[in-house]
Amino acid sequence: MKAIRKFTVRAVLPGPLAALEELAGNLRWSWHEPTRQLFERIAPELWREIGADPVALLGAVDPRRLDELAQDHDYVAQVESTRDGLRDYLDRPRWYQGLEGEKPAAIAYFSPEFGIAAALPQYSGGLGILAGDHLKSASDLGLPLVGVGLFYRAGYFSQAISPDGWQMESYPLLDPDGLPLAVLRRADGSAVQVSLALPDDRTLHARVWQAKVGRVRLLLLDADIPENADDLRLVTDRLYGGGGEHRLLQELLLGIGGARAVKLWSSLHGLPEPDVFHTNEGHAGFLGLERISSLIGEGLNFQEALQVARAGTVFTTHTPVAAGIDRFERSLVRRYFGTDLLPGVDVEDLLALGAESYSGGSSEVFNMAVMGLRLGQHANGVSTLHGEVSRRMFNGLWPGFDSADVPITSITNGVHAQSWTDPALKSLANAKLGTSDTSTANWASPDVSDQDLWSVRGQMRLQFVEDARRRLHNAWRDQNPGGIPPAWMGRVFDPNVLTIGFARRVPTYKRLTLMLHDPERLRALLLHPEHPIQIVIAGKSHPADEEGKRLIQKIVQFAADPALRTRIAFLPDYNIAMAQLMYPGTDVWLNNPLRPLEACGTSGMKAALNGALNLSILDGWWPEYYDGKNGWAIPSADSAGDSAERDRLEAEALYDLIEHQVAPTFYERNGDDVPERWVSNIRHTLSTLSPALSADRMVSEYVQRLYRPAGHYEALMSANNYRAARELAAWKGRIVSAWPQVAVTHVESGGVSSVPEVGDELHLRAHVQLGGLVAEDVTVEVVYGKSVGTDELRDVVNQALEPVLVKEAPAGGATLFTGTVELDRAGTFGYTVRVVPKNDLLISPAEMGLVAVAG
Ligand SMILES: *Cc1c(COP(=O)(O)O)cnc(C)c1O
């Protein structure tokens, strides 16, 4: 495929329509229905053909049509009032402005990908869509947040499927001038650049694109500029393209270049620099080192600077799958940082941050997630289950602690309701419930009848079926230029048949082909005489993942069977535009990952927001929200002998659920042909899940549970010329060197009757060797709970013991700590006594990974 360089000539709008340019220039149009409709009205066919893209539409439309609309007073008035509405949205105080108390002045949100709209394809999958939704909700809620990412010249790849079912990738180049982006410039008009020193006296330069996402700015760094050597222009060629060094260069640019770009951007706009940095997955982790380097420039040493950087950094881990975590050769990292890249930072200090210094770790690699956790005092997973899994997975960084003590919390993902709810459902809410905010509408109200809900669901299914046929036709024409598509393609899917959707990236753990486990059984479900189902499948396999491509091929080959091809189809090139029609158009959203490898999963959330019911393994977000009425849980055969056995058991459970529960309920109709039970489940799903799954809930949780604490600790560290950071660094140094001598030498207990019973008191006296530390440096605590197995406690309570102050601590002797535990529960009681460092600037007793436990 030739790499055609294109450029876009922007239209000159007639005077009365000038406001359209302002509307097209802010991506808020991507979730604001009235603005979308204004653009659609210009040229409905073109709007559909180009795919909802105002900038492209204005460039492509016949200027005579614009002149005509400029004469249409009604249209002009609407354009102007919509523009006024946008300005009002941008200026008016919102949720964040009303928050009482201390809060961050600015938050920088880093991600390697952002999926905001089909018109700005800078994403590959879930992480990108999530980042896009985070920015949109941050805008709606009024957060002072700025997004930071890279601008990829080809984005992720476009997918086509060969006649024998093999995935083919192409990388159409994007022209940034044809996108809703503007170069970041100084007041004198010169373009801002950031530069990174590389080995061999080379330099990587990047310009900075800005996108307006409502009130939020997104900065995208772009290395494809003439100032760079040819090979360096390719650093931002594509998303997750190369491995090793190419990936490292991208991450250096994202983290270090991104932090520099935010600083420049803030100062150009007279805005405060961010006090909170949120890094998503390890990819942007180098941003913490850039901050450390600049603090060293202010006179701090490495450890002091680290305290400041940690305090203000939030690290979110997004996957428990090892392949999702970046690891570089240490020698490569050493080569890149043994330069002037980060003035003042010793490469050995840096390497220590990414070292897998735990059992099972490799001494050859530099692990970006590990560095992320060491550079971020505040860390989280993305669902309750993923939080637990992450605490276990990273337990090695906090040796001696139980996984429950590992300081990684969780905030369950959410999705941006305005972006992911079909306009038909919004207008139903508008007409019957008086609000177009479907996530807060009262769907339980009788003002919306069963018939209303069912008919909107039918409309959305039909719209999807038509889109699927169009896509199949287009894909066929691309491969057979000039030919006439076969007639059966016009009959793919039936707008009245129970429709099951399955679309996501194709890593092995998502088990794209589980449904093919017993082909005859699947065939019978598809062709059932009374209760037929149909299945739509989509998803991209990473270009380097041959196994993923084989899975796609299996599906495509199965679906080629003439008896089945109108009931099951693989749609090529899964993307936002397809997803926006697919989620509302499916009745059931299927997800069958290998538990617990799905960190959260958001496609099922988007489906639920449109009234689809989920049929899923209890993984990711589903165990938190499945309630027996909003869908079905496929039982996981966790204890199966091997993976083949597990697949077999789970596939059979899936078939059974579809055959005996899902399909019969869908086809059980009343006299008006409405499936009452099904509709009642839809209503229940809309009214309970919509608010819970919305990105507004997620972003407000980030504010309250992570951004505010991060801002608080960063302010504490920075006050009075970083006094607390200097003190904390010195204190930590003292604790770390004394710790090998700290020990609980002896614990005496008493007070409990010979046959212990509820109400008894357990008196504890712990003799603790402080190794030169003082009692205030530590917490000596009893950790007790219900004892299960050999070394596990449940329902754990931590209770501090008090030092018994004697006039003079015996030289070299132990200090006595005492306390009393009341036995208030029957059952097997277990306890242990331990010593942990104590400092108000630590957010968790486990934070330093130091503990001394009674022997
Ligand atoms: C939501 C979405 C995803 C992520 O789906 P998961 O269920 O998290 O795998 C991927 N791609 C697109 C286009 C999406 O809209």
Side-chain angles (χ1 to χ4, degrees):
M1 178 140 315
K2 285 216 192 69
I4 301 171
R5 294 248 160 188
K6 298 183 284 190
F7 65 92
T8 306
V9 183
R10 293 207 188 194
V12 179
L13 289 164
L17 298 183
L20 280 176
E21 184 146 356
E22 196 172 326
L23 290 167
N26 191 316
L27 285 152
R28 189 201 183 216
W29 63 256
S30 69
W31 71 93
H32 190 247
E33 200 50 41
T35 310
R36 295 169 70 89
Q37 284 167 11
L38 271 186
F39 285 108
E40 186 175 1
R41 254 178 76 187
I42 296 174
E45 275 301 307
L46 197 57
W47 177 253
R48 179 139 14 106
E49 209 177 289
I50 300 178
D53 183 342
V55 173
L57 180 95
L58 293 178
V61 69
D62 185 339
R64 281 170 305 187
R65 172 66 181 147
L66 292 174
D67 290 336
E68 187 183 302
L69 283 167
Q71 308 301 318
D72 178 341
H73 297 299
D74 181 45
Y75 185 78
V76 170
Q78 240 175 305
V79 167
E80 286 180 353
S81 78
T82 309
R83 189 261 327 266
D84 294 346
L86 173 63
R87 289 185 180 171
D88 184 61
Y89 170 84
L90 298 178
D91 295 339
R92 191 192 284 273
R94 306 187 74 85
W95 174 80
Y96 193 83
Q97 284 64 41
L99 275 186
E100 302 281 341
E102 188 185 6
K103 55 193 175 189
I107 302 147
Y109 180 98
F110 284 67
S111 169
E113 45 174 312
F114 285 91
I116 291 162
L120 189 59
Q122 298 285 316
Y123 63 92
S124 75
L127 178 62
I129 307 285
L130 180 80
D133 282 5
H134 197 99
L135 297 195
K136 293 172 185 178
S137 270
S139 170
D140 290 345
L141 295 175
L143 270 63
L145 183 138
V146 53
V148 185
L150 298 179
F151 178 77
Y152 305 97
R153 189 41 69 112
Y156 202 48
F157 68 92
S158 295
Q159 179 195 53
I161 300 294
S162 75
D164 64 345
W166 200 249
Q167 168 175 298
M168 301 181 295
E169 299 103 26
S170 62
Y171 294 86
L173 296 179
L174 297 167
D175 170 22
D177 290 318
L179 299 172
L181 298 173
V183 169
L184 179 63
R185 297 182 185 281
R186 295 192 187 75
D188 66 5
S190 59
V192 167
Q193 277 191 10
V194 296
S195 304
L196 274 64
L198 299 183
D200 309 322
D201 286 327
R202 303 179 82 210
T203 306
L204 172 65
H205 304 280
R207 67 179 153 184
V208 182
W209 294 100
Q210 308 183 72
K212 296 179 183 172
V213 185
R215 303 161 63 108
V216 162
R217 288 293 173 281
L218 171 59
L219 309 179
L220 298 172
L221 280 73
D222 176 6
D224 189 13
I225 51 174
E227 287 81 350
N228 278 329
D230 285 350
D231 60 328
L232 295 179
R233 292 185 72 150
L234 298 178
V235 164
T236 48
D237 57 350
R238 45 179 82 156
L239 183 51
Y240 304 140
E245 192 157 358
H246 182 254
R247 177 70 80 96
L248 179 66
L249 278 160
Q250 289 193 336
E251 299 193 355
L252 294 173
L253 186 59
L254 175 60
I256 299 172
R260 291 178 184 170
V262 173
K263 204 168 184 165
L264 286 166
W265 176 80
S266 309
S267 78
L268 282 174
H269 291 79
L271 294 167
E273 280 179 28
D275 37 7
V276 171
F277 289 77
H278 183 179
T279 152
N280 285 282
E281 211 40 88
H283 315 295
F286 292 125
L287 79 92
L289 291 164
E290 163 64 13
R291 299 189 57 227
I292 287 174
S293 169
S294 89
L295 288 159
I296 289 175
E298 292 186 49
L300 301 188
N301 68 30
F302 182 86
Q303 290 301 330
E304 294 162 351
L306 174 61
Q307 307 314 315
V308 185
R310 270 174 60 77
T313 301
V314 175
F315 173 77
T316 302
T317 166
H318 289 267
T319 178
V321 179
I325 290 174
D326 282 322
R327 297 157 93 223
F328 296 109
E329 303 266 334
R330 275 169 77 87
S331 54
L332 183 68
V333 175
R334 188 188 293 281
R335 192 160 82 77
Y336 270 86
F337 286 95
T339 58
D340 296 332
L341 178 54
L342 290 176
V345 176
D346 186 300
V347 71
E348 295 306 323
D349 287 335
L350 183 154
L351 285 168
L353 289 173
E356 294 186 342
S357 47
Y358 41 81
S359 79
S362 158
S363 58
E364 299 300 316
V365 304
F366 185 90
N367 183 313
M368 294 295 282
V370 164
M371 179 177 74
L373 289 164
R374 291 191 175 125
L375 281 174
Q377 189 181 27
H378 316 270
N380 70 299
V382 292
S383 68
T384 305
L385 177 60
H386 180 235
E388 280 165 31
V389 171
S390 303
R391 287 189 286 276
R392 282 203 297 275
M393 178 168 164
F394 293 111
N395 204 164
L397 292 174
W398 290 273
F401 288 90
D402 289 342
S403 67
D405 288 329
V406 167
I408 300 177
T409 183
S410 65
I411 292 181
T412 303
N413 286 341
V415 295
H416 188 249
Q418 291 294 332
S419 299
W420 292 107
T421 311
D422 194 271
L425 203 61
K426 289 185 199 171
S427 61
L428 175 65
N430 229 340
K432 298 288 167 90
L433 301 171
T435 170
S436 58
D437 183 354
T438 51
S439 66
T440 54
N442 175 19
W443 290 104
S445 158
D447 294 343
V448 173
S449 69
D450 282 6
Q451 188 72 57
D452 291 336
L453 274 175
W454 188 237
S455 109
V456 163
R457 293 283 319 157
Q459 221 175 300
M460 299 191 301
R461 196 185 308 107
L462 173 62
Q463 160 187 278
F464 163 70
V465 166
E466 286 171 348
D467 184 64
R469 290 174 184 167
R470 195 161 40 233
R471 285 174 187 278
L472 290 169
H473 276 136
N474 290 344
W476 193 91
R477 285 201 194 92
D478 284 347
Q479 286 180 9
N480 304 274
I484 298 170
W488 64 264
M489 256 183 205
R491 296 191 303 271
V492 168
F493 297 143
D494 178 331
N496 297 308
V497 164
L498 167 58
T499 307
I500 299 181
F502 185 103
R504 45 187 57 86
R505 290 178 305 109
V506 189
T508 352
Y509 80 87
K510 300 220 187 212
R511 294 193 296 188
L512 174 69
T513 54
L514 187 72
M515 65 178 87
L516 298 186
H517 189 85
D518 181 346
E520 282 317 307
R521 190 118 189 240
L522 177 61
R523 193 184 172 88
L525 292 171
L526 292 164
L527 301 177
H528 193 285
E530 288 96 44
H531 300 160
I533 64 169
Q534 56 194 6
I535 306 182
V536 52
I537 302 148
K540 294 177 177 176
S541 168
H542 187 280
D545 179 7
E546 297 287 308
E547 177 57 21
K549 293 183 197 178
R550 263 193 294 279
L551 299 181
I552 291 176
Q553 186 175 39
K554 275 178 142 177
I555 291 276
V556 173
Q557 289 175 344
F558 179 83
D561 182 334
L564 301 178
R565 65 193 176 192
T566 58
R567 282 270 190 270
I568 180 167
F570 182 91
L571 300 185
D573 208 24
Y574 183 44
N575 60 20
I576 291 181
M578 184 196 294
Q580 280 174 327
L581 296 176
M582 192 187 262
Y583 304 142
T586 49
D587 300 287
V588 171
W589 194 253
L590 173 64
N591 193 17
N592 51 33
L594 263 183
R595 178 182 153 104
L597 297 181
E598 181 85 295
C600 179
T602 52
S603 53
M605 296 180 163
K606 292 177 270 185
L609 254 52
N610 289 286
L613 306 180
N614 276 271
L615 169 57
S616 173
I617 295 275
L618 284 170
D619 198 9
W621 69 282
W622 193 227
E624 271 163 78
Y625 289 102
Y626 165 65
D627 68 1
K629 198 164 158 58
N630 50 18
W632 298 267
I634 306 168
S636 316
D638 299 29
S639 53
D642 57 30
S643 63
E645 174 71 356
R646 180 169 179 176
D647 284 356
R648 183 181 70 77
L649 291 169
E650 296 182 8
E652 280 173 5
L654 169 64
Y655 300 133
D656 286 344
L657 278 168
I658 294 176
E659 181 175 343
H660 302 300
Q661 299 190 37
V662 182
T665 316
F666 183 88
Y667 289 103
E668 174 193 294
R669 305 295 165 94
N670 67 14
D672 298 324
D673 202 27
V674 173
E676 276 174 27
R677 275 208 293 156
W678 191 278
V679 173
S680 127
N681 293 347
I682 292 175
R683 192 188 285 282
H684 172 75
T685 296
L686 288 174
S687 55
T688 58
L689 289 187
S690 305
L693 301 182
S694 91
D696 286 359
R697 188 270 306 147
M698 165 181 75
V699 171
S700 59
E701 267 195 73
Y702 271 99
V703 169
Q704 301 291 22
R705 296 183 41 216
L706 295 173
Y707 296 164
R708 283 183 118 171
H712 172 72
Y713 283 98
E714 127 85 45
L716 281 179
M717 290 296 169
S718 304
N720 303 317
N721 192 23
Y722 307 107
R723 196 174 74 202
R726 293 176 208 264
E727 287 171 5
L728 182 61
W731 179 83
K732 281 188 175 176
R734 204 156 57 73
I735 299 288
V736 168
S737 55
W739 206 259
Q741 275 75 52
V742 173
V744 184
T745 50
H746 179 53
V747 179
E748 298 157 41
S749 62
V752 179
S753 357
S754 53
V755 183
E757 54 185 49
V758 170
D760 281 1
E761 288 185 339
L762 174 67
H763 301 292
L764 292 170
R765 295 165 60 82
H767 301 266
V768 177
Q769 193 82 49
L770 290 175
L773 301 178
V774 294
E776 289 73 47
D777 287 330
V778 297
T779 303
V780 176
E781 59 185 10
V782 51
V783 180
Y784 65 91
K786 181 184 286 209
S787 165
V788 281
T790 44
D791 55 9
E792 198 191 332
L793 292 178
R794 295 253 175 87
D795 305 326
V796 175
V797 177
N798 296 29
Q799 181 185 322
L801 304 182
E802 296 302 324
V804 177
L805 296 173
V806 289
K807 272 211 191 75
E808 235 165 273
T815 305
L816 178 64
F817 290 75
T818 64
T820 298
V821 174
E822 195 185 323
L823 305 182
D824 57 0
R825 282 169 290 184
T828 332
F829 183 86
Y831 73 94
T832 173
V833 173
R834 69 181 190 181
V835 190
V836 289
K838 179 172 80 180
N839 190 307
D840 288 345
L841 296 168
L842 302 180
I843 58 162
S844 145
E847 188 169 326
M848 293 179 66
L850 298 175
V851 63
V853 184

